[in-house]
């Protein structure tokens, strides 16, 4: 009987030590839990919805979540066959604000992700510009048209060289209805005309910091 109590005590101590080790090393039992754990570590979230996952070349996964009308972009990787964690020595994009009722951004892996708050927008066209171009001679280097899902999300993989990741940005976006009518424009179009919009104007003090928003009246996607 004494040996049984000793074994039970040993198992309890082992479980306690294992739990402390898992917690101190920020390990999780699922990629979703690791994703939300990193968000909490960056002092925001958790994301309202996971919109997209895609693999990186090193075996880790990128999770893209929706939070505060913006995107949370976090890498996670498997560890020791049963855990998930944030990869070491990998930069984290964290929370990125979107501006306007329809907007998009490029992740570091050249995946274009965007959101529309307007339920009548069924597809969008984005023009992408290069930061290396002269300001006086801006010309789009890529145009892409994407369908918008029921939750307002759209995405597409771009073919920019990975070595130049971060050198391109979404400079113009327009939203159209199913009838082909353009009802939203923002940015510098291919003819050099610039459009500004009012609407959702989220702001953030820093990536991973506390975020807040200044919301004007708008038609939101249900």
């Amino acid at each position: 009987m004494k040996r049984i109590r000793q074994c039970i005590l040993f198992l309890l101590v082992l479980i306690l030590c294992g739990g402390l080790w898992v917690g101190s090393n920020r390990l999780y039992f699922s990629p979703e839990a690791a994703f939300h754990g990193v968000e909490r570590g960056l002092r925001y979230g958790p994301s309202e919805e996971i919109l997209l996952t895609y693999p990186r070349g090193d075996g880790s996964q990128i999770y893209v979540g929706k939070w505060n009308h913006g995107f949370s972009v976090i890498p996670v990787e498997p560890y020791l066959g049963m855990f998930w964690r944030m990869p070491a020595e990998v930069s984290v994009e964290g929370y990125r604000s979107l501006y306007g009722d329809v907007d998009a951004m490029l992740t570091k892996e050249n995946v274009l992700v965007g959101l529309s708050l307007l339920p009548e927008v069924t597809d969008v066209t984005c023009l992408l510009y290069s930061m290396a171009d002269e300001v006086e001679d801006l010309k789009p280097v890529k145009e892409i048209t994407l369908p918008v899902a029921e939750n307002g999300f759209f995405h597409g993989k771009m073919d920019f060289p990975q070595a130049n990741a971060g050198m391109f940005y979404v400079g113009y976006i327009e939203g159209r209805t199913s009838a082909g009518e353009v009802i939203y424009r923002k940015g510098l179009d291919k003819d050099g005309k610039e459009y500004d919009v009012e609407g959702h104007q989220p702001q953030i003090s820093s990536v991973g910091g506390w975020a807040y928003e200044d919301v004007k009246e708008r038609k939101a996607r249900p």
Side-chain angles (χ1 to χ4, degrees):
M1 197 68 168
K2 182 178 180 180
R3 181 173 291 274
I4 293 176
R5 287 198 298 269
Q6 288 176 335
C7 290
I8 293 174
L9 181 60
F10 174 76
L11 287 174
L12 290 175
V13 171
L14 188 64
I15 291 172
L16 177 61
C17 292
L20 291 173
W21 178 79
V22 168
S24 62
N25 287 277
R26 297 184 179 181
L27 303 179
Y28 303 87
F29 290 103
S30 72
E32 292 82 7
F35 169 64
H36 293 311
V38 175
E39 288 183 315
R40 288 192 295 270
L42 294 173
R43 298 190 297 157
Y44 71 88
S47 285
E48 307 151 20
E49 181 182 1
I50 294 175
L51 299 169
L52 179 68
T53 64
Y54 59 87
R56 282 168 47 95
D58 59 3
S60 62
Q61 297 275 331
I62 296 292
Y63 270 63
V64 180
K66 176 185 176 183
W67 185 75
N68 199 32
H69 300 295
F71 287 120
S72 173
V73 183
I74 304 289
V76 297
E77 69 174 3
Y79 182 67
L80 296 179
M82 61 181 299
F83 300 111
W84 288 82
R85 67 176 185 179
M86 186 184 77
E89 300 181 359
V90 173
S91 60
V92 176
E93 294 185 61
Y95 174 70
R96 295 277 298 275
S97 301
L98 295 183
Y99 297 87
D101 289 333
V102 186
D103 204 2
M105 57 167 271
L106 276 176
T107 70
K108 292 181 179 179
E109 292 76 31
N110 289 323
V111 176
L112 187 147
V113 292
L115 282 173
S116 169
L117 299 178
L118 304 178
E120 59 268 42
V121 170
T122 59
D123 62 273
V124 297
T125 294
C126 299
L127 299 182
L128 292 106
Y129 290 82
S130 169
M131 294 183 183
D133 292 339
E134 295 291 338
V135 176
E136 296 82 4
D137 190 31
L138 278 176
K139 293 184 176 62
V141 295
K142 186 79 173 181
E143 177 179 328
I144 185 171
T145 298
L146 297 166
V148 178
E150 290 185 1
N151 62 356
F153 180 59
F154 54 93
H155 72 280
K157 182 71 173 72
M158 309 304 294
D159 56 0
F160 297 129
Q162 191 60 43
N164 294 330
M167 288 299 297
F168 303 93
Y169 64 97
V170 181
Y172 173 79
I173 187 167
E174 68 178 35
R176 291 183 298 276
T177 66
S178 58
E181 179 188 1
V182 177
I183 61 170
Y184 185 93
R185 291 185 175 94
K186 182 171 75 89
L188 185 69
D189 70 7
K190 64 179 65 176
D191 297 323
K193 185 174 182 180
E194 190 162 5
Y195 295 86
D196 194 10
V197 296
E198 292 186 353
H200 179 66
Q201 293 290 324
Q203 300 176 29
I204 186 166
S205 57
S206 62
V207 173
W210 292 103
Y212 62 94
E213 60 177 358
D214 174 20
V215 182
K216 297 181 181 179
E217 185 178 354
R218 65 186 188 276
K219 291 183 288 184
R221 182 178 292 272

